[in-house]
Amino acid sequence: MSFVLRYTVDGRERVFPIGEREITIGRAPDCHLVLNQPGISRHHCQVVIEGGKPYIIDLKSKNGTRVNNIYIKKAQLSAGDEILIAEFQLIFAEEGMARGLEERDPKASDQMVLLSDQKELHEEAGTIIRRVNDFQDIIASKAPQETEGRRIMTVLIKVAEALIAVNSVDEIIGKLMDLIFENLPADRGFLMLKDQSTQLVPKVVRHREPGESDNIEISRTIAEKALNDNMAILTTDAQVDPRFSAGESIRFLGIKSAMCVPLFHKEKTIGILYLDSPTSAAIFGPSELDLLTAMANFAAVGIEQAQLNEKIQRETSIRERLERYHSPSIVNRILRNISSGSSPIEDYNLKVQERDVTILFADIVGFTPMSERMPPNRIAELLNEYFSAMTEILFKYEGTLDKYIGDAIMAIFGAPNNMVDHPDRAVRTALDMLEELNELNLHRAEDERFAIRIGINTGRAVAGDIGSIKRMEYTVLGNTVNMASRIESMACKAGQVVIGEATYLAVKDDFVCQNLGAIQLKGISEKVNVYRVIKRR
């Protein structure tokens, strides 16, 4: 025996045949019986035939399914049973009790406002996205009469294909608006995304008529309700709609029919998608809202993915740049803060500014004559081994590698990352460098061993990105830097660490130092006191 579902919409009785197939009932376009009624979930319930007997199964709907006013999870049906889907009534009947198959519900009446639970819609969109390859099968299984459902599914396939084909946020938004204006009768469309301060920023403005201004003329009343309440909104005549009649922007803009849906993904709203017509009322209905909501959910996934890809590319570029100067731990710390949004890259003071810093110069003694008697490839091998070992020590104390200058190393402590103990870190680095070089020399031939000297100075310097438009490098400039270089080259002997007076005053309690007296440094007008660091206390 065949069965049907009888129901009434707008005073007209409808009949839907069940036959031997599984029937899904709900608001989603891919349901067999689509009911655009308040309280009905996207996929609300199913009617199935098991062993020749009909059963109804609730699909974890929001407002539940009742049979003869009793909530059920699964129940066998008999002719004459009353089914309540939320508050919408259907009668389960034998096929002979009614004739024919009538069309699905038309759009609801004018001046209607439809509000949908956006989280529920998003869950469905996520399911559809995972089943993009099944769309054609879904369409093929639809009854021929359900042309609206077929149209919606066809559009969603185009949206999914567009998301796969494009990579950037701008490309996704542009393609989305193209599809919206191809398939929905909107006069104007706006897409806005939240920025870091959670303010809505216009990303695209589209008009059906060419030559229109790109100025944003969106109803703040409708947009804020969609965004704050996380609801999809449809009004067929905003001018007389009691929910929005108080909105000055609606009266001022002359908005008639309008839809506004949030872009919702991963439990957060990232923006809104808004369509309206200032000239025509009732051009949008529930099916248009369903289509726009599904497209918005698809777009939200694509936009989030594109933003993630752009973020990864940006962070990769930043990482490559920072790794030239910083230890991996510092780089990871910077990127964690940038990723969390708590600190933009600008906060790491790569722009030029004055800083308190300690500068370290380490130079190989007698490198030129050694390189003259050795093959170039061997010189390169020795330098690579030496630089690698010294840089590891520098990064251990979170110093910044400024540059390699021939066989010399220039390093910075205290910039771009603030360090209260930058003099101490610089001196510890220098002593560890001497110890590490001794270890390296033990494993080298006699003619390949060499010594280094290290000069250190503390003071104010200009630090930041300096260079040309095509090539910028982070470095430090000023008298503090010049004095560090002069101390290394003029006051320091092989195997020694010599520091300026400002550095000495900062570290004297932690290191044993020898006063070398006041010396005249090239380019420095007055003599300066310098100190040799002997060991840690």
Side-chain angles (χ1 to χ4, degrees):
M1 181 177 294
S2 297
F3 298 95
V4 297
L5 293 171
R6 298 169 49 206
Y7 56 101
T8 301
V9 175
D10 294 337
R12 296 177 58 191
E13 185 174 343
R14 308 295 178 90
V15 179
F16 189 91
I18 295 174
E20 295 298 322
R21 56 179 176 160
E22 178 182 285
I23 300 298
T24 302
I25 304 170
R27 291 178 51 253
D30 61 336
C31 290
H32 298 85
L33 176 54
V34 180
L35 298 174
N36 287 301
Q37 301 295 326
I40 296 179
S41 297
R42 300 280 290 177
H43 294 99
H44 199 106
C45 62
Q46 284 181 331
V47 177
V48 300
I49 306 298
E50 297 179 357
K53 297 180 179 179
Y55 290 85
I56 186 167
I57 302 170
D58 183 75
L59 299 177
K60 298 182 180 179
S61 62
K62 185 175 181 180
N63 293 310
T65 302
R66 287 173 283 173
V67 176
N68 299 325
N69 213 29
I70 298 175
Y71 284 99
I72 59 94
K73 291 184 178 179
K74 180 178 181 180
Q76 184 176 344
L77 292 171
S78 300
D81 282 346
E82 178 190 73
I83 302 170
L84 287 175
I85 301 177
E87 298 301 325
F88 187 79
Q89 183 189 66
L90 302 106
I91 301 298
F92 184 76
E94 296 178 8
E95 188 174 23
M97 297 177 65
R99 295 182 182 223
L101 171 63
E102 297 194 30
E103 59 184 322
R104 56 169 288 188
D105 291 353
K107 297 175 184 178
S109 59
D110 289 346
Q111 301 179 10
M112 175 198 69
V113 174
L114 183 72
L115 302 178
S116 304
D117 187 327
Q118 188 67 7
K119 289 186 178 180
E120 178 185 298
L121 294 173
H122 172 67
E123 291 170 359
E124 172 57 21
T127 302
I128 294 176
I129 289 171
R130 292 191 296 270
R131 298 173 57 199
V132 169
N133 294 330
D134 297 334
F135 279 171
Q136 298 289 355
D137 295 335
I138 294 173
I139 293 173
S141 68
K142 304 294 274 185
Q145 295 88 343
E146 298 183 46
T147 56
E148 182 64 22
R150 292 167 57 85
R151 184 181 76 86
I152 290 176
M153 297 302 291
T154 301
V155 174
L156 293 184
I157 290 175
K158 292 181 181 179
V159 175
E161 290 174 345
L163 295 182
I164 293 171
V166 299
N167 296 312
S168 73
V169 173
D170 291 341
E171 287 176 328
I172 289 173
I173 292 174
K175 187 62 177 177
L176 174 68
M177 296 304 288
D178 289 342
L179 290 169
I180 285 174
F181 273 76
E182 287 174 14
N183 294 278
L184 290 169
D187 292 328
R188 304 184 300 186
F190 310 99
L191 190 146
M192 307 175 78
L193 297 179
K194 286 183 177 179
D195 61 11
Q196 289 186 345
S197 63
T198 72
Q199 296 295 314
L200 285 175
V201 177
K203 291 298 180 180
V204 65
V205 180
R206 189 71 60 86
H207 297 270
R208 188 168 296 279
E209 296 297 328
E212 294 286 342
S213 171
D214 283 343
N215 291 334
I216 288 289
E217 295 180 334
I218 187 171
S219 166
R220 184 177 298 276
T221 306
I222 295 176
E224 287 182 350
K225 186 169 185 61
L227 187 67
N228 297 334
D229 296 346
N230 197 29
M231 304 294 283
I233 296 176
L234 164 67
T235 179
T236 56
D237 193 343
Q239 295 296 313
V240 297
D241 193 317
R243 293 178 181 268
F244 308 121
S245 59
E248 293 183 4
S249 59
I250 291 174
R251 292 195 297 271
F252 176 75
L253 298 173
I255 294 171
K256 296 284 188 178
S257 193
M259 294 190 294
C260 187
V261 298
L263 297 166
F264 185 83
H265 183 49
K266 292 184 179 178
E267 301 300 321
K268 66 177 180 179
T269 302
I270 64 172
I272 61 168
L273 183 56
Y274 175 93
L275 304 180
D276 73 11
S277 172
T279 58
S280 303
I283 65 169
F284 303 130
S287 62
E288 283 78 18
L289 184 66
D290 279 344
L291 176 56
L292 184 65
T293 300
M295 295 175 80
N297 280 322
F298 269 71
V301 175
I303 290 169
E304 282 274 279
Q305 186 62 49
Q307 287 177 333
L308 177 61
N309 290 338
E310 291 174 358
K311 179 180 178 183
I312 290 172
Q313 292 173 3
R314 184 172 65 253
E315 289 187 0
T316 299
S317 175
I318 293 172
R319 176 180 288 277
E320 290 174 352
R321 181 184 176 199
L322 293 175
E323 283 178 342
R324 298 172 56 191
Y325 310 123
H326 304 294
S327 67
S329 62
I330 289 291
V331 173
N332 290 334
R333 186 187 310 164
I334 291 173
L335 292 179
R336 275 198 305 270
N337 289 333
I338 294 173
S339 180
S340 67
S342 60
S343 299
I345 187 64
E346 290 80 4
D347 286 357
Y348 288 89
N349 302 321
L350 299 182
K351 59 186 179 182
V352 176
Q353 59 182 269
E354 244 187 52
R355 302 289 297 271
D356 283 319
V357 295
T358 296
I359 307 300
L360 178 150
F361 279 91
D363 195 11
I364 296 176
V365 179
F367 177 75
T368 300
M370 184 177 71
S371 62
E372 290 175 351
R373 68 174 187 269
M374 296 180 68
N377 62 330
R378 183 54 184 159
I379 288 292
E381 290 174 359
L382 290 174
L383 280 179
N384 287 339
E385 181 185 40
Y386 164 71
F387 284 147
S388 297
M390 298 302 109
T391 302
E392 284 299 315
I393 295 170
L394 173 63
F395 286 170
K396 171 184 172 183
Y397 291 100
E398 299 188 344
T400 297
L401 175 64
D402 186 295
K403 61 178 69 72
Y404 301 121
I405 311 170
D407 61 312
I409 297 172
M410 177 180 170
I412 312 163
F413 295 83
N417 298 289
N418 290 319
M419 296 176 179
V420 295
D421 60 343
H422 52 86
D424 183 87
R425 289 173 182 260
V427 175
R428 289 179 183 275
T429 298
L431 293 178
D432 282 5
M433 283 180 168
L434 293 181
E435 292 179 7
E436 180 64 23
L437 182 60
N438 289 335
E439 288 294 321
L440 292 176
N441 282 334
L442 289 177
H443 302 89
R444 290 180 181 151
E446 185 71 29
D447 62 343
E448 293 182 342
R449 296 176 183 174
F450 58 82
I452 61 174
R453 57 178 183 246
I454 302 174
I456 299 173
N457 191 45
T458 300
R460 299 289 286 179
V462 174
D465 276 340
I466 296 173
S468 69
I469 295 175
K470 292 185 177 180
R471 181 178 175 85
M472 304 288 287
E473 287 192 350
Y474 189 85
T475 190
V476 286
L477 303 171
N479 189 58
T480 297
V481 181
N482 296 335
M483 189 175 294
S485 177
R486 297 291 185 267
I487 289 173
E488 176 269 309
S489 61
M490 302 181 67
C492 190
K493 296 180 181 178
Q496 291 185 348
V497 176
V498 177
I499 61 178
E501 186 159 19
T503 308
Y504 168 75
L505 293 174
V507 304
K508 62 181 181 178
D509 293 335
D510 298 318
F511 298 89
V512 176
C513 299
Q514 176 189 359
N515 188 347
L516 300 180
I519 62 172
Q520 186 70 52
L521 300 177
K522 183 180 179 181
I524 308 298
S525 58
E526 297 181 357
K527 290 185 176 182
V528 297
N529 290 319
V530 294
Y531 302 80
R532 179 188 174 190
V533 180
I534 307 299
K535 63 180 180 179
R536 295 181 178 88
R537 290 193 183 278

